[in-house]
Amino acid sequence: MEKLSNPQKTIEIIKKYEFAFQKKFGQNFLIDSHVLDKIIAAAGITKEDCVVEIGPGIGTLTQYLAETAGEVVAVEIDRMLIPILEETLADYSNVTVINQDILKVDLEALVREHNGGRPVKVVANLPYYITTPIIMGLFERHVPVSSITVMVQKEVAERMKAAPGTKDYGALSLAVQYFAMPYIAANVPPNCFMPRPKVGSAVIRLTRHEAPPVQVEQEEMMFKIIRASFNQRRKTLVNGLKNSPEIPYSREEVLEALQKMGLPESIRGEALTLQEFAQLTNRLSSPDTWEQP
Ligand code: SAM
């Protein structure tokens, strides 16, 4: 079949099935073959790969994935798209479409069934309303994934990649960089989609670290500390932690830990590196270990 990245083909399919775009599902379909080539290149897909696609839409990116990967499993929430996908992907025997909400899929079971539990690559033009829960869900649930290559809102890509002390740096930067190495492969303008989104987009690849870049005994507590530090951006780190119901440490304990790390009382969360958040968490959660010579 002719490629759906040809806008005329996309229009033809949409008319044939009288498909109505659903804003609530973040439906902005790609109609630019150069962008699709860039996504495939950035993800480094080969015939050895099993790819999980989130939100295949009418199958535009899925066609490219089916031609380059060994196997593709595509999870789509909108049941109106299922008969369309049956037609647009009919030529590919290596694609399985699952009609489900990605946030409810047992991804570990899916990876076990389709790739014997070996790491898969996730590739998607994501629905923007759930970008963060999708990405953090994959990392925090420790789903076997070697990389995630996704189209996201440009601002979100910049936040994922941001360094300490910059305006975009925050809880998302730290969470993503704890699990993976981010690389922005392309900026994509609204006219590459149908319908056009109101925001600019970017393709970002997150290559999962084999081992975390920092040692932290209580990973969950570190993320609570990170969230609390950025909740009130203009407050000092000490006050941010003091005001958070998730943090069980007193102002004095936090001050003491900061002092021992050689950091000033007035420091804000945005100045701390991932390494420093890990150290702070370790000091707070097991102070005795740190007192020993
Ligand atoms: N991959 C297609 C493309 O590039 O043209 C469509 C991308 S569109 C931005 C996002 C897709 O994700 C839509 O098909 C939408 O229905 C689907 N979607 C939205 N929420 C979803 C969810 N919770 N689980 C699975 N798919 C979802």
Side-chain angles (χ1 to χ4, degrees):
M1 145 173 301
E2 194 185 341
K3 286 274 180 61
L4 294 153
S5 50
N6 173 354
Q8 293 315 318
K9 189 69 196 170
T10 291
I11 291 169
E12 184 192 312
I13 292 282
I14 281 166
K15 282 200 175 142
K16 179 174 167 189
Y17 286 88
E18 297 177 346
F19 177 74
F21 287 95
Q22 298 261 16
K23 223 174 171 181
K24 68 170 181 192
F25 288 144
Q27 290 174 340
N28 300 96
F29 299 161
L30 272 167
I31 48 164
D32 187 306
S33 58
H34 300 296
V35 173
L36 287 147
D37 286 335
K38 278 188 194 164
I39 297 175
I40 299 295
I45 307 289
T46 71
K47 283 284 166 202
E48 305 297 306
D49 290 317
C50 174
V51 173
V52 174
E53 187 193 4
I54 299 157
I58 58 171
T60 315
L61 174 58
T62 328
Q63 289 182 328
Y64 281 69
L65 292 170
E67 284 176 13
T68 46
E71 190 180 351
V72 182
V73 184
V75 180
E76 173 57 60
I77 196 169
D78 187 353
R79 67 183 168 81
M80 303 307 282
L81 289 167
I82 304 306
I84 301 184
L85 289 164
E86 274 163 20
E87 175 182 336
T88 59
L89 303 174
D91 292 345
Y92 305 103
S93 57
N94 59 345
V95 179
T96 309
V97 175
I98 299 172
N99 183 201
Q100 231 182 305
D101 177 347
I102 189 69
L103 297 177
K104 295 189 181 147
V105 173
D106 180 347
L107 284 163
E108 267 163 321
L110 184 147
V111 174
R112 231 178 296 128
E113 185 187 338
H114 289 272
N115 206 33
R118 289 182 304 281
V120 295
K121 287 182 176 168
V122 171
V123 183
N125 170 16
L126 284 180
Y128 293 173
Y129 73 106
I130 44 169
T131 299
T132 308
I134 290 175
I135 293 179
M136 293 321 299
L138 287 165
F139 285 144
E140 283 170 7
R141 278 153 40 191
H142 295 278
V143 177
V145 157
S146 56
S147 65
I148 302 177
T149 305
V150 280
M151 180 83 72
V152 297
Q153 202 175 317
K154 186 168 179 274
E155 275 181 5
V156 176
E158 281 160 3
R159 275 165 43 209
M160 289 183 194
K161 207 182 162 276
T166 63
K167 74 169 176 25
D168 292 326
Y169 186 64
L172 183 64
S173 329
L174 284 152
V176 163
Q177 293 169 31
Y178 175 69
F179 291 107
M181 195 180 64
Y183 165 72
I184 296 183
N187 284 321
V188 182
N191 64 2
C192 297
F193 302 85
M194 186 188 295
R196 294 181 182 189
K198 289 201 178 71
V199 292
S201 303
V203 177
I204 189 164
R205 181 185 65 218
L206 307 172
T207 308
R208 207 180 197 312
H209 297 307
E210 303 236 328
V214 296
Q215 293 298 317
V216 62
E217 284 140 42
Q218 296 192 17
E219 191 177 292
E220 236 178 272
M221 180 51 69
M222 179 174 76
F223 286 119
K224 284 183 184 166
I225 291 176
I226 288 173
R227 272 197 300 274
S229 314
F230 287 95
N231 259 350
Q232 299 163 296
R233 259 196 113 91
R234 270 181 265 137
K235 288 228 153 73
T236 62
L237 177 103
V238 180
N239 284 338
L241 297 193
K242 191 191 74 184
N243 294 340
S244 166
E246 283 197 317
I247 305 298
Y249 307 112
S250 69
R251 184 185 157 80
E252 288 63 40
E253 285 172 301
V254 178
L255 275 176
E256 193 186 336
L258 283 180
Q259 196 197 18
K260 290 197 169 140
M261 288 169 64
L263 297 174
E265 189 177 328
S266 59
I267 199 159
R268 293 185 183 175
E270 65 208 36
L272 261 68
T273 62
L274 177 60
Q275 180 76 44
E276 287 166 331
F277 272 112
Q279 258 189 54
L280 177 64
T281 310
N282 289 339
R283 281 187 184 272
L284 287 168
S285 56
S286 47
D288 298 344
T289 319
W290 292 87
E291 299 317 326
Q292 286 159 16

